[in-house]
Amino acid sequence: MRNLSSMEQTRTQAYVNSFVVNVYHWMTIGLALTGLVAYLVMNSVAAQQIIFGNRLVFFGLIIAELGFVFYLSARIARISAGAATSLFLVYAALNGATLAAVLLLYTGASIVSTFAVCAATFAACSVYGMVTKRDLTSIGNFMMMGLIGIIIASVVNIFLKSGPMEMIISYIGVLVFVGLTAFDAQKIKHMALSQPADLDSGTLRKGAIIGALSLYLDFINMFLFLLRILGNRD
């Protein structure tokens, strides 16, 4: 009985590890695609004129990004694994195109250094979320309320144009996404533990994609807030 229990635990841990690795694999692909598209746009005058030269195009892309996120989150159970993967990758590419507008404001050196800080912080939060025995649900809910507050404050600051308020929002934003990263990492671990062992590969892929989307959003937003704090304007 002890050997059987040990085998089951080993198999469960191997399954969890495989699922978690798959989630971070797709998140990394999404980030790499975003970075590649942003780099190409930043080095193409023609692309910048198309995307940033017409407000309808720029805001149309942003609306399309939001649409992809909401559609993917709401319809993940009803669409195929291939469709979910394609939507995630298209979203990551569109996000790279619009993200270039922000990155063009900063020096290349500060972008690289901020990315390194963000990656290290994100990794630490992910590890904590995976290994801690503390239930982070209450923290996740609190951080979601904080995120709503940040959105409202950011909209208000569009009209106020206050530099100090922008910095306060940025510092709070980093803290919010630090908490959300740990929460989402733990949620992904619990997702892996709760899934039946006989799930088909397509369902597993969709679970990995939706998990990757959550972590991708955490990373991108943490990076943008850190860039406001650490970045040097070009």
Side-chain angles (χ1 to χ4, degrees), residues 54-92:
N54 188 321
R55 289 189 176 183
L56 288 177
V57 173
F58 180 70
F59 287 108
L61 289 176
I62 292 177
I63 292 172
E65 289 178 44
L66 294 173
F68 276 117
V69 171
F70 287 124
Y71 182 85
L72 187 55
S73 300
R75 304 282 297 182
I76 188 67
R78 297 174 183 158
I79 60 179
S80 67
T85 304
S86 298
L87 286 171
F88 174 66
L89 294 178
V90 171
Y91 166 73

mmCIF file of all heavy atoms in Angstrom, residues 54-92:
data_model
loop_
_atom_site.group_PDB
_atom_site.id
_atom_site.type_symbol
_atom_site.label_atom_id
_atom_site.label_comp_id
_atom_site.label_asym_id
_atom_site.label_seq_id
_atom_site.Cartn_x
_atom_site.Cartn_y
_atom_site.Cartn_z
ATOM 1 N N ASN A 54 -2.452 56.848 -37.529
ATOM 2 C CA ASN A 54 -3.907 56.935 -37.631
ATOM 3 C C ASN A 54 -4.509 56.456 -36.314
ATOM 4 O O ASN A 54 -4.350 55.297 -35.935
ATOM 5 C CB ASN A 54 -4.408 56.074 -38.789
ATOM 6 C CG ASN A 54 -5.889 56.277 -39.070
ATOM 7 O OD1 ASN A 54 -6.693 56.422 -38.164
ATOM 8 N ND2 ASN A 54 -6.252 56.255 -40.356
ATOM 9 N N ARG A 55 -5.188 57.336 -35.603
ATOM 10 C CA ARG A 55 -5.752 56.974 -34.306
ATOM 11 C C ARG A 55 -6.764 55.838 -34.410
ATOM 12 O O ARG A 55 -6.904 55.028 -33.491
ATOM 13 C CB ARG A 55 -6.401 58.198 -33.650
ATOM 14 C CG ARG A 55 -5.406 59.235 -33.154
ATOM 15 C CD ARG A 55 -6.102 60.286 -32.340
ATOM 16 N NE ARG A 55 -5.148 61.236 -31.770
ATOM 17 C CZ ARG A 55 -5.487 62.224 -30.961
ATOM 18 N NH1 ARG A 55 -6.763 62.415 -30.642
ATOM 19 N NH2 ARG A 55 -4.559 63.044 -30.462
ATOM 20 N N LEU A 56 -7.502 55.814 -35.514
ATOM 21 C CA LEU A 56 -8.491 54.750 -35.684
ATOM 22 C C LEU A 56 -7.816 53.378 -35.715
ATOM 23 O O LEU A 56 -8.329 52.410 -35.144
ATOM 24 C CB LEU A 56 -9.287 54.978 -36.975
ATOM 25 C CG LEU A 56 -10.282 56.139 -36.967
ATOM 26 C CD1 LEU A 56 -10.938 56.273 -38.334
ATOM 27 C CD2 LEU A 56 -11.336 55.927 -35.886
ATOM 28 N N VAL A 57 -6.675 53.302 -36.389
ATOM 29 C CA VAL A 57 -5.949 52.034 -36.450
ATOM 30 C C VAL A 57 -5.413 51.666 -35.079
ATOM 31 O O VAL A 57 -5.575 50.524 -34.615
ATOM 32 C CB VAL A 57 -4.778 52.127 -37.468
ATOM 33 C CG1 VAL A 57 -3.932 50.855 -37.402
ATOM 34 C CG2 VAL A 57 -5.315 52.339 -38.879
ATOM 35 N N PHE A 58 -4.784 52.626 -34.405
ATOM 36 C CA PHE A 58 -4.170 52.343 -33.099
ATOM 37 C C PHE A 58 -5.213 51.895 -32.080
ATOM 38 O O PHE A 58 -5.065 50.854 -31.432
ATOM 39 C CB PHE A 58 -3.432 53.583 -32.599
ATOM 40 C CG PHE A 58 -2.761 53.382 -31.268
ATOM 41 C CD1 PHE A 58 -1.643 52.563 -31.164
ATOM 42 C CD2 PHE A 58 -3.245 54.008 -30.131
ATOM 43 C CE1 PHE A 58 -1.018 52.374 -29.938
ATOM 44 C CE2 PHE A 58 -2.620 53.826 -28.905
ATOM 45 C CZ PHE A 58 -1.511 53.009 -28.804
ATOM 46 N N PHE A 59 -6.287 52.683 -31.937
ATOM 47 C CA PHE A 59 -7.311 52.329 -30.952
ATOM 48 C C PHE A 59 -8.117 51.113 -31.401
ATOM 49 O O PHE A 59 -8.642 50.368 -30.564
ATOM 50 C CB PHE A 59 -8.226 53.527 -30.683
ATOM 51 C CG PHE A 59 -7.564 54.607 -29.878
ATOM 52 C CD1 PHE A 59 -7.191 55.811 -30.462
ATOM 53 C CD2 PHE A 59 -7.279 54.411 -28.535
ATOM 54 C CE1 PHE A 59 -6.561 56.800 -29.718
ATOM 55 C CE2 PHE A 59 -6.646 55.398 -27.779
ATOM 56 C CZ PHE A 59 -6.287 56.593 -28.376
ATOM 57 N N GLY A 60 -8.189 50.901 -32.705
ATOM 58 C CA GLY A 60 -8.837 49.689 -33.206
ATOM 59 C C GLY A 60 -8.077 48.446 -32.780
ATOM 60 O O GLY A 60 -8.671 47.417 -32.418
ATOM 61 N N LEU A 61 -6.739 48.529 -32.824
ATOM 62 C CA LEU A 61 -5.910 47.406 -32.382
ATOM 63 C C LEU A 61 -6.079 47.151 -30.887
ATOM 64 O O LEU A 61 -6.145 45.992 -30.448
ATOM 65 C CB LEU A 61 -4.435 47.687 -32.698
ATOM 66 C CG LEU A 61 -4.026 47.655 -34.170
ATOM 67 C CD1 LEU A 61 -2.560 48.045 -34.320
ATOM 68 C CD2 LEU A 61 -4.262 46.266 -34.757
ATOM 69 N N ILE A 62 -6.158 48.222 -30.097
ATOM 70 C CA ILE A 62 -6.342 48.066 -28.650
ATOM 71 C C ILE A 62 -7.689 47.415 -28.344
ATOM 72 O O ILE A 62 -7.789 46.506 -27.496
ATOM 73 C CB ILE A 62 -6.233 49.430 -27.941
ATOM 74 C CG1 ILE A 62 -4.792 49.956 -28.031
ATOM 75 C CG2 ILE A 62 -6.667 49.325 -26.472
ATOM 76 C CD1 ILE A 62 -4.580 51.317 -27.430
ATOM 77 N N ILE A 63 -8.726 47.857 -29.039
ATOM 78 C CA ILE A 63 -10.057 47.264 -28.842
ATOM 79 C C ILE A 63 -10.044 45.800 -29.260
ATOM 80 O O ILE A 63 -10.641 44.941 -28.596
ATOM 81 C CB ILE A 63 -11.115 48.052 -29.646
ATOM 82 C CG1 ILE A 63 -11.291 49.455 -29.051
ATOM 83 C CG2 ILE A 63 -12.452 47.311 -29.648
ATOM 84 C CD1 ILE A 63 -12.152 50.377 -29.873
ATOM 85 N N ALA A 64 -9.338 45.500 -30.352
ATOM 86 C CA ALA A 64 -9.230 44.111 -30.806
ATOM 87 C C ALA A 64 -8.527 43.248 -29.759
ATOM 88 O O ALA A 64 -8.931 42.107 -29.496
ATOM 89 C CB ALA A 64 -8.473 44.054 -32.135
ATOM 90 N N GLU A 65 -7.476 43.803 -29.135
ATOM 91 C CA GLU A 65 -6.766 43.067 -28.079
ATOM 92 C C GLU A 65 -7.699 42.723 -26.925
ATOM 93 O O GLU A 65 -7.729 41.580 -26.444
ATOM 94 C CB GLU A 65 -5.603 43.908 -27.544
ATOM 95 C CG GLU A 65 -4.441 44.049 -28.503
ATOM 96 C CD GLU A 65 -3.358 44.943 -27.914
ATOM 97 O OE1 GLU A 65 -3.043 44.763 -26.715
ATOM 98 O OE2 GLU A 65 -2.856 45.806 -28.633
ATOM 99 N N LEU A 66 -8.457 43.719 -26.472
ATOM 100 C CA LEU A 66 -9.402 43.482 -25.384
ATOM 101 C C LEU A 66 -10.429 42.433 -25.777
ATOM 102 O O LEU A 66 -10.795 41.573 -24.970
ATOM 103 C CB LEU A 66 -10.101 44.790 -25.007
ATOM 104 C CG LEU A 66 -9.213 45.877 -24.385
ATOM 105 C CD1 LEU A 66 -9.996 47.179 -24.217
ATOM 106 C CD2 LEU A 66 -8.668 45.413 -23.045
ATOM 107 N N GLY A 67 -10.869 42.511 -27.026
ATOM 108 C CA GLY A 67 -11.840 41.534 -27.519
ATOM 109 C C GLY A 67 -11.279 40.118 -27.500
ATOM 110 O O GLY A 67 -11.976 39.168 -27.106
ATOM 111 N N PHE A 68 -10.016 39.965 -27.900
ATOM 112 C CA PHE A 68 -9.379 38.645 -27.887
ATOM 113 C C PHE A 68 -9.310 38.087 -26.472
ATOM 114 O O PHE A 68 -9.578 36.904 -26.239
ATOM 115 C CB PHE A 68 -7.973 38.724 -28.486
ATOM 116 C CG PHE A 68 -7.939 38.633 -29.976
ATOM 117 C CD1 PHE A 68 -7.476 39.701 -30.749
ATOM 118 C CD2 PHE A 68 -8.359 37.487 -30.624
ATOM 119 C CE1 PHE A 68 -7.446 39.628 -32.128
ATOM 120 C CE2 PHE A 68 -8.331 37.394 -32.012
ATOM 121 C CZ PHE A 68 -7.876 38.468 -32.767
ATOM 122 N N VAL A 69 -8.933 38.932 -25.515
ATOM 123 C CA VAL A 69 -8.803 38.486 -24.120
ATOM 124 C C VAL A 69 -10.156 38.042 -23.566
ATOM 125 O O VAL A 69 -10.284 36.955 -22.984
ATOM 126 C CB VAL A 69 -8.210 39.595 -23.234
ATOM 127 C CG1 VAL A 69 -8.282 39.205 -21.759
ATOM 128 C CG2 VAL A 69 -6.760 39.858 -23.624
ATOM 129 N N PHE A 70 -11.174 38.880 -23.747
ATOM 130 C CA PHE A 70 -12.501 38.554 -23.219
ATOM 131 C C PHE A 70 -13.088 37.321 -23.913
ATOM 132 O O PHE A 70 -13.689 36.467 -23.260
ATOM 133 C CB PHE A 70 -13.448 39.753 -23.369
ATOM 134 C CG PHE A 70 -13.163 40.878 -22.416
ATOM 135 C CD1 PHE A 70 -12.921 42.165 -22.883
ATOM 136 C CD2 PHE A 70 -13.116 40.655 -21.052
ATOM 137 C CE1 PHE A 70 -12.649 43.203 -22.009
ATOM 138 C CE2 PHE A 70 -12.846 41.693 -20.159
ATOM 139 C CZ PHE A 70 -12.615 42.965 -20.637
ATOM 140 N N TYR A 71 -12.910 37.239 -25.223
ATOM 141 C CA TYR A 71 -13.459 36.103 -25.965
ATOM 142 C C TYR A 71 -12.765 34.803 -25.550
ATOM 143 O O TYR A 71 -13.425 33.784 -25.304
ATOM 144 C CB TYR A 71 -13.291 36.324 -27.466
ATOM 145 C CG TYR A 71 -13.894 35.210 -28.298
ATOM 146 C CD1 TYR A 71 -15.250 35.223 -28.621
ATOM 147 C CD2 TYR A 71 -13.112 34.147 -28.755
ATOM 148 C CE1 TYR A 71 -15.809 34.198 -29.385
ATOM 149 C CE2 TYR A 71 -13.665 33.125 -29.507
ATOM 150 C CZ TYR A 71 -15.004 33.158 -29.817
ATOM 151 O OH TYR A 71 -15.562 32.143 -30.562
ATOM 152 N N LEU A 72 -11.446 34.851 -25.463
ATOM 153 C CA LEU A 72 -10.692 33.655 -25.094
ATOM 154 C C LEU A 72 -11.040 33.195 -23.684
ATOM 155 O O LEU A 72 -11.208 32.003 -23.428
ATOM 156 C CB LEU A 72 -9.192 33.942 -25.204
ATOM 157 C CG LEU A 72 -8.223 32.768 -25.012
ATOM 158 C CD1 LEU A 72 -8.553 31.633 -25.969
ATOM 159 C CD2 LEU A 72 -6.791 33.237 -25.223
ATOM 160 N N SER A 73 -11.169 34.139 -22.759
ATOM 161 C CA SER A 73 -11.494 33.796 -21.378
ATOM 162 C C SER A 73 -12.901 33.225 -21.250
ATOM 163 O O SER A 73 -13.126 32.281 -20.486
ATOM 164 C CB SER A 73 -11.358 35.033 -20.479
ATOM 165 O OG SER A 73 -10.044 35.545 -20.519
ATOM 166 N N ALA A 74 -13.841 33.793 -22.011
ATOM 167 C CA ALA A 74 -15.239 33.380 -21.884
ATOM 168 C C ALA A 74 -15.559 32.118 -22.680
ATOM 169 O O ALA A 74 -16.439 31.336 -22.283
ATOM 170 C CB ALA A 74 -16.157 34.524 -22.333
ATOM 171 N N ARG A 75 -14.846 31.891 -23.787
ATOM 172 C CA ARG A 75 -15.212 30.791 -24.699
ATOM 173 C C ARG A 75 -14.210 29.644 -24.706
ATOM 174 O O ARG A 75 -14.297 28.756 -25.537
ATOM 175 C CB ARG A 75 -15.327 31.359 -26.117
ATOM 176 C CG ARG A 75 -16.292 32.506 -26.270
ATOM 177 C CD ARG A 75 -17.727 32.072 -26.330
ATOM 178 N NE ARG A 75 -17.992 31.247 -27.493
ATOM 179 C CZ ARG A 75 -19.192 30.753 -27.803
ATOM 180 N NH1 ARG A 75 -20.218 31.003 -27.006
ATOM 181 N NH2 ARG A 75 -19.361 30.004 -28.861
ATOM 182 N N ILE A 76 -13.268 29.643 -23.769
ATOM 183 C CA ILE A 76 -12.207 28.650 -23.802
ATOM 184 C C ILE A 76 -12.738 27.223 -23.779
ATOM 185 O O ILE A 76 -12.169 26.321 -24.413
ATOM 186 C CB ILE A 76 -11.225 28.868 -22.610
ATOM 187 C CG1 ILE A 76 -9.999 27.976 -22.743
ATOM 188 C CG2 ILE A 76 -11.938 28.664 -21.288
ATOM 189 C CD1 ILE A 76 -9.110 28.305 -23.893
ATOM 190 N N ALA A 77 -13.858 26.981 -23.099
ATOM 191 C CA ALA A 77 -14.400 25.624 -22.994
ATOM 192 C C ALA A 77 -15.092 25.184 -24.278
ATOM 193 O O ALA A 77 -15.263 23.978 -24.508
ATOM 194 C CB ALA A 77 -15.381 25.532 -21.822
ATOM 195 N N ARG A 78 -15.466 26.136 -25.131
ATOM 196 C CA ARG A 78 -16.265 25.807 -26.313
ATOM 197 C C ARG A 78 -15.488 25.830 -27.623
ATOM 198 O O ARG A 78 -15.988 25.411 -28.650
ATOM 199 C CB ARG A 78 -17.446 26.780 -26.420
ATOM 200 C CG ARG A 78 -18.402 26.666 -25.247
ATOM 201 C CD ARG A 78 -19.470 27.730 -25.286
ATOM 202 N NE ARG A 78 -20.346 27.657 -24.129
ATOM 203 C CZ ARG A 78 -21.079 28.651 -23.685
ATOM 204 N NH1 ARG A 78 -21.031 29.818 -24.297
ATOM 205 N NH2 ARG A 78 -21.857 28.499 -22.628
ATOM 206 N N ILE A 79 -14.283 26.359 -27.593
ATOM 207 C CA ILE A 79 -13.496 26.416 -28.820
ATOM 208 C C ILE A 79 -12.450 25.308 -28.816
ATOM 209 O O ILE A 79 -12.167 24.701 -27.777
ATOM 210 C CB ILE A 79 -12.811 27.791 -28.984
ATOM 211 C CG1 ILE A 79 -11.861 28.080 -27.812
ATOM 212 C CG2 ILE A 79 -13.863 28.896 -29.106
ATOM 213 C CD1 ILE A 79 -11.127 29.401 -27.924
ATOM 214 N N SER A 80 -11.877 25.048 -29.976
ATOM 215 C CA SER A 80 -10.871 23.999 -30.081
ATOM 216 C C SER A 80 -9.533 24.464 -29.513
ATOM 217 O O SER A 80 -9.302 25.665 -29.342
ATOM 218 C CB SER A 80 -10.688 23.603 -31.547
ATOM 219 O OG SER A 80 -10.111 24.674 -32.280
ATOM 220 N N ALA A 81 -8.670 23.506 -29.246
ATOM 221 C CA ALA A 81 -7.343 23.832 -28.734
ATOM 222 C C ALA A 81 -6.561 24.661 -29.753
ATOM 223 O O ALA A 81 -5.840 25.596 -29.397
ATOM 224 C CB ALA A 81 -6.583 22.562 -28.389
ATOM 225 N N GLY A 82 -6.719 24.327 -31.038
ATOM 226 C CA GLY A 82 -6.036 25.071 -32.093
ATOM 227 C C GLY A 82 -6.499 26.519 -32.159
ATOM 228 O O GLY A 82 -5.687 27.439 -32.311
ATOM 229 N N ALA A 83 -7.826 26.732 -32.003
ATOM 230 C CA ALA A 83 -8.372 28.092 -32.029
ATOM 231 C C ALA A 83 -7.884 28.885 -30.825
ATOM 232 O O ALA A 83 -7.532 30.068 -30.949
ATOM 233 C CB ALA A 83 -9.897 28.036 -32.053
ATOM 234 N N ALA A 84 -7.855 28.243 -29.654
ATOM 235 C CA ALA A 84 -7.390 28.916 -28.440
ATOM 236 C C ALA A 84 -5.932 29.333 -28.590
ATOM 237 O O ALA A 84 -5.551 30.459 -28.227
ATOM 238 C CB ALA A 84 -7.554 28.003 -27.230
ATOM 239 N N THR A 85 -5.128 28.445 -29.131
ATOM 240 C CA THR A 85 -3.703 28.746 -29.332
ATOM 241 C C THR A 85 -3.525 29.902 -30.312
ATOM 242 O O THR A 85 -2.737 30.819 -30.082
ATOM 243 C CB THR A 85 -2.962 27.508 -29.847
ATOM 244 O OG1 THR A 85 -3.159 26.414 -28.944
ATOM 245 C CG2 THR A 85 -1.473 27.780 -29.978
ATOM 246 N N SER A 86 -4.281 29.857 -31.409
ATOM 247 C CA SER A 86 -4.182 30.907 -32.432
ATOM 248 C C SER A 86 -4.603 32.259 -31.876
ATOM 249 O O SER A 86 -3.950 33.282 -32.121
ATOM 250 C CB SER A 86 -5.053 30.548 -33.641
ATOM 251 O OG SER A 86 -4.605 29.352 -34.244
ATOM 252 N N LEU A 87 -5.696 32.285 -31.105
ATOM 253 C CA LEU A 87 -6.170 33.540 -30.515
ATOM 254 C C LEU A 87 -5.136 34.123 -29.565
ATOM 255 O O LEU A 87 -4.892 35.339 -29.551
ATOM 256 C CB LEU A 87 -7.487 33.300 -29.773
ATOM 257 C CG LEU A 87 -8.731 33.084 -30.639
ATOM 258 C CD1 LEU A 87 -9.908 32.649 -29.765
ATOM 259 C CD2 LEU A 87 -9.086 34.353 -31.397
ATOM 260 N N PHE A 88 -4.510 33.267 -28.768
ATOM 261 C CA PHE A 88 -3.491 33.725 -27.829
ATOM 262 C C PHE A 88 -2.299 34.321 -28.562
ATOM 263 O O PHE A 88 -1.791 35.390 -28.195
ATOM 264 C CB PHE A 88 -3.046 32.562 -26.943
ATOM 265 C CG PHE A 88 -1.884 32.898 -26.036
ATOM 266 C CD1 PHE A 88 -2.026 33.830 -25.026
ATOM 267 C CD2 PHE A 88 -0.656 32.273 -26.203
ATOM 268 C CE1 PHE A 88 -0.959 34.155 -24.183
ATOM 269 C CE2 PHE A 88 0.418 32.581 -25.374
ATOM 270 C CZ PHE A 88 0.258 33.522 -24.361
ATOM 271 N N LEU A 89 -1.859 33.655 -29.622
ATOM 272 C CA LEU A 89 -0.694 34.133 -30.364
ATOM 273 C C LEU A 89 -1.000 35.413 -31.132
ATOM 274 O O LEU A 89 -0.155 36.325 -31.196
ATOM 275 C CB LEU A 89 -0.205 33.041 -31.318
ATOM 276 C CG LEU A 89 0.347 31.770 -30.652
ATOM 277 C CD1 LEU A 89 0.748 30.743 -31.696
ATOM 278 C CD2 LEU A 89 1.533 32.107 -29.751
ATOM 279 N N VAL A 90 -2.194 35.503 -31.702
ATOM 280 C CA VAL A 90 -2.580 36.736 -32.403
ATOM 281 C C VAL A 90 -2.659 37.897 -31.411
ATOM 282 O O VAL A 90 -2.202 39.007 -31.701
ATOM 283 C CB VAL A 90 -3.930 36.560 -33.133
ATOM 284 C CG1 VAL A 90 -4.430 37.905 -33.672
ATOM 285 C CG2 VAL A 90 -3.787 35.566 -34.277
ATOM 286 N N TYR A 91 -3.225 37.626 -30.245
ATOM 287 C CA TYR A 91 -3.286 38.659 -29.206
ATOM 288 C C TYR A 91 -1.890 39.117 -28.815
ATOM 289 O O TYR A 91 -1.628 40.326 -28.682
ATOM 290 C CB TYR A 91 -4.026 38.142 -27.975
ATOM 291 C CG TYR A 91 -3.817 39.025 -26.763
ATOM 292 C CD1 TYR A 91 -4.430 40.273 -26.676
ATOM 293 C CD2 TYR A 91 -2.965 38.635 -25.729
ATOM 294 C CE1 TYR A 91 -4.209 41.104 -25.602
ATOM 295 C CE2 TYR A 91 -2.747 39.465 -24.638
ATOM 296 C CZ TYR A 91 -3.372 40.696 -24.577
ATOM 297 O OH TYR A 91 -3.141 41.522 -23.518
ATOM 298 N N ALA A 92 -0.973 38.183 -28.606
ATOM 299 C CA ALA A 92 0.401 38.524 -28.217
ATOM 300 C C ALA A 92 1.069 39.382 -29.297
ATOM 301 O O ALA A 92 1.803 40.326 -28.983
ATOM 302 C CB ALA A 92 1.212 37.253 -27.972
#
